[in-house]
Every structure is written in C-alpha cells, then in structure tokens.
Amino acid sequence: MAQPAAIDQLMQQIVDEYDSLSRQLKLIAKHIEQNRASLMLERISDIAAACDVQPSAIVRFAQRFGFSGFSEMQDVFRQAYTDQARAAPNYRQRIRKLISTRDSKVRTGDLTREFIGASRSGLDELAAGLDDEQLEAAVTLLQQADNIYVVGVRRAFPVASYIAYALQHTSKRVHLVTGLGGGHRDQMRSVRAGDVAIAISFAPYGKETLECARMAHENGAKTLVITDSTLAPLARSADALLTVTEGSAFAFRSLTGTICLCQALFIALAYRMEIDIEEVGAQAPD
C-alpha cells in the first residue's frame, strides 16, 4: 500500500531534524518510525510507556513537527493505515492472552504458532513498506561492486552469513567479515573505492558494524545498509538503505523478514547479471 505524501514528508522531516532532537524526542521519533502502521491504534499513554517518557513529551513532539497535538498527528497515520491496521489489535490481544496464561501449561504448538504469527506480521509490514527506489539502488550497488564486504554481528550475523553465501554464487568477490579473534578492522583493511560494504545491524546496533561501515566510507567504498530504522546510526551515511521491522513474540524478534529481503536482493541481482537462477538452486547444497 502506497503511503500518502503527508507521511513521507513527516518522516523525512523527522530524519532531517533527528540530530537536533532531545533524548526524549529521539525515543519518540524511533517509536513512531518503527510502529507507523499501528500508531493509529495507540493511546498517548501507550506510546509514553513504550518510550519511558511523560505523555506531555508526545504532545511536544507533535508540536515540534507542526501539529496542534498528538491527535492531529495521529490522524495522518489513521488516514494512511486504516485498512492495514485493523488486524493488529487482534494479534496483540492473542499474544497478551497467551502470556497471561503462562503459569498454566502452554502447549509447544501454541507457542510455535504465535511465533509464526509474529513472523507473518513482520513480512506483511515489510511488503507494505518496501521502497522500490532504494531496492533498485541496492541492486545497482551490488552489480557495480568490485568486491563485496558483508558484516553483521550477534543477531545479524546469521543474516550476513546467508547473504554472503548467496552472493558467492555470482562472479563477485565476496568477503564475510567474521571478526574472528576481534579482527573486524583487519578484515576491512583492504576495502577501497569501487567496493561495497553490506552492513546489517539492528538496535542496539553493534559497534563493530558501525566501525566497519565507517572504514568503508573513509576508504571511498559504498555502503548498503540493512537496519530497522531510517533513524539508525548506520542510516545517515548509507548509499542505499533498506529497513526491516521484524515481528516479535515473547521478547524474541524474528529474522524471517530480513532473510526474505536478502534472498530477494540476491535473486534481483542474479537476474540483473543474467545468472540462471534454477541452475544456482540446483547446485546449492542443503
């Protein structure tokens, strides 16, 4: 679903002014950016609790960006996401109901289905929020790259490993920056102009990934950033920026949407390079 121009303009204004916001307003900005599809359903007290701020801070945030108060700002999101958000409270209610019964015996199948539901919710948000221009820019960067460096730590490491594995089915020279023995900087030392660094990071944002992206930028390489917010530290200097807001259940965030996005990137690149996808799939080991 295409977002109305009003939301695009508001989010761009938030990005432009983010560095000048107070700590509290930055927390609110991140919450809005990551929960824009469900914002129309949230009470001001819900947002305040999620951001650990007073409700008055939410009002100040809205006024900072030209609204009379929270309700007027919320109307912008309500007009954009009415149809998409109708199912959101039902999902939240199911999660809360299941958590409230955790003192009694909960079947593994029920837990699994809830996590699958969270993953499906994340995929729906990914599809709704895709930025076609940034996707094209990302594929172009990869197509033109001499070398591709891929870095992601902790939760992002399996994603980095997967996309490096997939890209090795092309003719590109691909380097997975594992940081083995604390060697992130050493593995990035040869990055140069003409190369691309794929930096994958989610809150609280690994300092190693930030450092690798900084080295790539200083050495003249391009950066393709995959993260959870346009307000994330990596987003500021990205040459192509792809954002993923994963679904979560029981404090565990899924990786389904991020892996799906990386698979789509590889397939798009393969088509651009005229690689036989079926042949690649047949050769790939289980």
Side-chain angles (χ1 to χ4, degrees), residues 98-285:
L98 186 60
I99 291 174
S100 70
T101 63
R102 63 185 174 205
D103 290 336
S104 60
K105 185 174 180 58
V106 180
R107 294 183 301 174
T108 301
D110 292 335
L111 296 173
T112 303
R113 289 183 184 88
E114 289 298 337
F115 199 83
I116 291 171
S119 299
R120 184 182 295 115
S121 173
L123 284 172
D124 289 341
E125 287 198 33
L126 174 63
L130 283 176
D131 186 325
D132 287 8
E133 289 186 6
Q134 290 298 310
L135 283 167
E136 292 290 347
V139 175
T140 298
L141 284 180
L142 297 176
Q143 183 183 16
Q144 296 176 350
D146 295 328
N147 292 274
I148 300 174
Y149 293 78
V150 188
V151 57
V153 298
R154 291 179 281 284
R155 188 171 74 93
F157 183 73
V159 181
S161 300
Y162 172 78
I163 195 168
Y165 159 78
L167 291 172
Q168 285 168 357
H169 289 88
T170 71
S171 59
K172 298 294 181 180
R173 294 186 292 272
V174 182
H175 312 270
L176 176 61
V177 181
T178 63
L180 187 62
H184 285 94
R185 288 182 58 85
D186 293 335
Q187 290 180 289
M188 288 293 296
R189 198 176 300 279
S190 60
V191 68
R192 61 185 185 275
D195 296 339
V196 169
I198 302 177
I200 308 165
S201 187
F202 309 101
Y205 310 113
K207 62 181 181 180
E208 301 92 340
T209 307
L210 293 170
E211 176 67 9
C212 288
R214 185 190 64 77
M215 289 182 65
H217 180 73
E218 290 179 352
N219 289 355
K222 303 290 187 181
T223 55
L224 163 55
V225 171
I226 300 174
T227 188
D228 53 9
S229 171
T230 56
L231 304 176
L234 282 168
R236 318 287 171 72
S237 58
D239 295 285
L241 174 63
L242 303 176
T243 58
V244 185
T245 302
E246 293 282 12
S248 64
F250 314 111
F252 286 92
R253 288 172 291 183
S254 169
L255 287 175
T256 306
T258 312
I259 292 290
C260 180
L261 179 61
C262 290
Q263 288 178 316
L265 275 178
F266 165 69
I267 292 171
L269 176 64
Y271 273 114
R272 192 80 78 82
M273 298 177 66
E274 298 184 352
I275 297 172
D276 189 331
I277 295 293
E278 292 185 2
E279 182 179 330
V280 169
Q283 291 176 350

Side-chain angles (χ1 to χ4, degrees), residues 38-110:
S38 60
L39 194 70
M40 59 163 285
L41 300 166
E42 296 184 308
R43 298 169 299 180
I44 190 170
S45 56
D46 295 331
I47 300 173
C51 299
D52 195 23
V53 300
Q54 294 297 317
S56 59
I58 313 294
V59 176
R60 290 201 307 274
F61 180 90
Q63 293 174 340
R64 169 69 182 261
F65 292 97
F67 300 97
S68 61
F70 172 70
S71 296
E72 185 179 357
M73 182 179 71
Q74 191 178 40
D75 283 342
V76 174
F77 293 88
R78 182 174 289 115
Q79 293 170 15
Y81 291 108
T82 298
D83 293 335
Q84 181 180 330
R86 280 174 181 162
N90 292 330
Y91 174 73
R92 288 203 182 104
Q93 287 166 7
R94 292 199 306 271
I95 281 282
R96 288 169 181 166
K97 181 178 179 180
L98 186 60
I99 291 174
S100 70
T101 63
R102 63 185 174 205
D103 290 336
S104 60
K105 185 174 180 58
V106 180
R107 294 183 301 174
T108 301
D110 292 335

